[in-house]
Amino acid sequence: MTDHRCIGIIGCGDMGFALAHRLTHSGFAVIMGSRDPHSRRHQNYEITSIADCIHRSFIIFIATHAEHYTNALISPLEHNPTLFDRKIVIDISNQQDQKPRQDELSNAERLQMAIPNAYIVKAFNTISSFVMRNATAGEPRSVPVASDHSLARDKVMMLAREMNFESYNSGSLRTARHLETYTRTLFPDWIIPIIMTIIVLFGWLIYILFTKFIYVKTTLWDQLVLHMTNKVLCVSAITMLSLVYMPSNLACIFQLAYGNKEKRFPAWLDKWLLSRKQLGLLTFAIALFHVFSTLVLMSPGYYKSWFHPTKIIISTNRNQTEVIVPHSVMTIKGESASLMGILTLLFMSLLAITSIPAIANLLNWREWRFIQSKLGTFTLLLAIGHVFSMSISRWIENGFVKSLTTTGFHCVVFPVTTILLKFVLCLPCFARPIRRIRRSEKPKQTV
């Protein structure tokens, strides 16, 4: 008779013994199956033949590579075709190829076809053997569980929780195609945002190098390392923040043009929309770097227009000498620019914190949307205000035409365009059609 608290493990490698260690400490009895059990003696775990391990266990972990499935699992079926009947088989393997074809079956799907009477479940392939053994390891501890059999999936999810892992329903066994390649990809959701960030940073770097060092020569080469970097970070941060909120405007325009929400957006816009979270976090990192750089450089020597000068008269026996030295009191420009910068960083911190899943789960949909959309737009307005506070006095001094060639003006063109588009799309003549399209409502017919 099968003991439901007895867990079988096929495979005596590192992962097999790591599973046995975690299961034993979680209160389960463990039987390990090997093709050569006599040479696999272990003082803590019972090691038997594969067929005996499967026969005595209700839940079986397959802790071997997929290429060994035929010898380890299919061969015992030739002697006993009913060996896997109504057994829960957990496949923990991963794909060796990082980019398999989309129509290629996963290891778990092939296993289900080979053992049709078993309940194949894809799980634990995202957990390393180190995490299995170490309860305090800092690696991910989340276990996606996929299967075509709902009862087997629920049992494995409960088993994962008893092993002190977080588990969640990942859908049918077809999901294993994604799960088996996910662990071998390096930041798959960050590739496009990082490329966009590099383009923005290098674009502004070339522009500022040319305008400040080569063409105008208003900045010393000694200031190339930090002062110029700080300028690049400032204009890049506001550009990146605009890139977070511009795609929603474009999505509204496309929906108005299509007249429905069923038609898909262009591929480039779809990828842009899906990259907004990563773009926002990268923007926050750039803005934080800009703040730290500004604090290091904060002095009247770098920001002369931010501080009031003061006069000191030095008297001697023959004459008087007037010396003007910088003072520590800020001007209205310095204080307003600092205030706008502080508020921008504060709200960006709130946006970054609420993008963390554990925090986002504490908010309902309306609260989360209010913070990420409404407060996000307000944050962009504050960032524009920060640039205006720093540049408005120079614009007035230089005149309108000359101001059009300044860095401060160029860096706010895209953010101001983003804000204006949002304002226009909020007008009733556009907001009402968009709302009807998203609710799949038909326009009212006039008689």
Side-chain angles (χ1 to χ4, degrees), residues 281-347:
L281 292 174
L282 290 170
T283 303
F284 178 64
I286 293 172
L288 202 60
F289 193 179
H290 167 59
V291 170
F292 289 148
S293 300
T294 303
L295 290 175
V296 172
L297 297 172
M298 182 63 72
S299 71
Y302 279 95
Y303 301 99
K304 298 177 182 178
S305 60
W306 284 34
F307 295 88
H308 284 292
T310 185
K311 295 180 181 180
I312 298 178
I313 298 175
I314 302 175
S315 298
T316 62
N317 293 331
R318 297 182 180 180
N319 55 14
Q320 292 183 342
T321 303
E322 186 180 274
V323 179
I324 299 177
V325 296
H327 199 267
S328 59
V329 177
M330 274 190 172
T331 62
I332 183 65
K333 170 186 174 179
E335 292 199 359
S336 59
S338 299
L339 177 63
M340 289 294 181
I342 291 169
L343 289 175
T344 302
L345 184 66
L346 178 64
F347 282 101

Side-chain angles (χ1 to χ4, degrees), residues 63-75:
T64 63
H65 292 291
E67 56 267 25
H68 299 150
Y69 282 177
T70 301
N71 295 331
L73 304 177
I74 311 304
S75 298

Side-chain angles (χ1 to χ4, degrees), residues 73 135 138 170 181 191 194 208 213-214 230 239 273 299 317 329 370-371 379 385 387 407:
L73 304 177
S170 188
T181 58
I191 296 175
I194 289 175
I208 291 176
F213 289 86
I214 300 173
N230 195 35
T239 304
L273 287 166
S299 71
N317 293 331
V329 177
F370 173 79
I371 293 174
T379 304
V387 176
T407 305

